[in-house]
Amino acid sequence: MRIGIIYTSISGNTKELALLINNQFKQRSLDVYLYSIEQFACHRLDEFDAIVIGTYTWGNGEIPDEMMPLYQEFKKIDRRNIVTGVFGTGDSFYPHYCGAVDMFRDLLNVKTDLSVTLKVELLPQQQDIARCNKFVDLLLARFENLILH
Ligand SMILES: Cc1cc2nc3c(=O)[nH]c(=O)nc-3n(C[C@H](O)[C@H](O)[C@H](O)COP(=O)(O)O)c2cc1C
């Protein structure tokens, strides 16, 4: 099983979360690849069995500009055989808390086999490690389910 984590981060919160999730996959000895969005070519989605997207939220609950090509790529495809998950950091001071996670969730739910989402308030804390663990477990459970059917 080949897993790709693609994230964006400006001030480091989402990067920290991406690293925690990456570690959880690695602890299970899985074949996981971590990319910042600048390192990832969108046409490569088909090389992965599972894609995990990490994003902060910008503007008024919006997806950051640099993630739009990836969002548009998912709009074009129809891949119910790719298991996906989406995580993000945000600030609940804003009316649309982690709005970018919600937008990816809604799209991936239609275009892929979306298994799990995770929202974290700003910088991940100790208690978020257990949530990352659960995130990875749920994604893997969905993958196993897909294989069996
Ligand atoms: C101009 C601006 C707009 C933002 N808008 C939102 C928003 O609508 N919803 C939200 O949950 N967080 C919002 N945030 C908070 C960021 O998403 C949050 O700080 C995030 O953790 C940053 O991630 P990063 O450290 O990975 O760059 C905004 C931050 C800035 C500076």
Side-chain angles (χ1 to χ4, degrees), residues 2-98:
R2 203 176 150 90
I3 303 146
I5 304 175
I6 309 154
Y7 73 93
T8 185
S9 183
I10 290 181
S11 54
N13 298 341
T14 316
K15 181 175 184 180
E16 194 62 35
L17 188 55
L19 290 170
L20 287 173
I21 289 176
N22 187 49
N23 269 346
Q24 293 287 346
F25 281 115
K26 281 195 182 300
Q27 277 174 23
R28 292 161 176 79
S29 303
L30 289 161
D31 198 16
V32 62
Y33 301 83
L34 180 67
Y35 305 93
S36 70
I37 186 66
E38 292 79 17
Q39 299 169 317
F40 188 78
C42 290
H43 63 267
R44 293 186 56 201
L45 288 177
D46 278 334
E47 294 174 19
F48 299 89
D49 302 298
I51 296 275
V52 179
I53 292 172
T55 182
Y56 65 94
T57 295
W58 200 239
N60 183 19
E62 286 151 32
I63 294 177
D65 283 352
E66 67 275 17
M67 289 302 261
M68 282 316 286
L70 184 62
Y71 184 83
Q72 296 298 345
E73 187 69 23
F74 275 109
K75 257 188 166 173
K76 277 193 257 163
I77 64 168
D78 191 6
R79 297 282 190 287
R80 299 295 299 177
N81 60 326
I82 300 182
V83 173
T84 55
V86 54
F87 65 85
T89 67
D91 183 343
S92 56
F93 167 82
Y94 290 90
H96 300 287
Y97 175 56
C98 290

Side-chain angles (χ1 to χ4, degrees), residues 62-141:
E62 286 151 32
I63 294 177
D65 283 352
E66 67 275 17
M67 289 302 261
M68 282 316 286
L70 184 62
Y71 184 83
Q72 296 298 345
E73 187 69 23
F74 275 109
K75 257 188 166 173
K76 277 193 257 163
I77 64 168
D78 191 6
R79 297 282 190 287
R80 299 295 299 177
N81 60 326
I82 300 182
V83 173
T84 55
V86 54
F87 65 85
T89 67
D91 183 343
S92 56
F93 167 82
Y94 290 90
H96 300 287
Y97 175 56
C98 290
V101 171
D102 293 341
M103 288 179 72
F104 265 109
R105 175 201 63 203
D106 291 348
L107 181 64
L108 295 174
N109 202 24
V110 175
K111 298 292 193 170
T112 69
D113 189 8
L114 178 71
S115 58
V116 59
T117 65
L118 175 65
K119 296 179 180 181
V120 166
E121 178 86 23
L122 298 169
L123 189 65
Q125 304 295 312
Q126 186 64 32
Q127 69 270 16
D128 293 312
I129 294 174
R131 300 175 73 212
C132 292
N133 190 18
K134 185 102 194 219
F135 179 96
V136 166
D137 278 347
L138 287 171
L139 188 133
L140 294 175

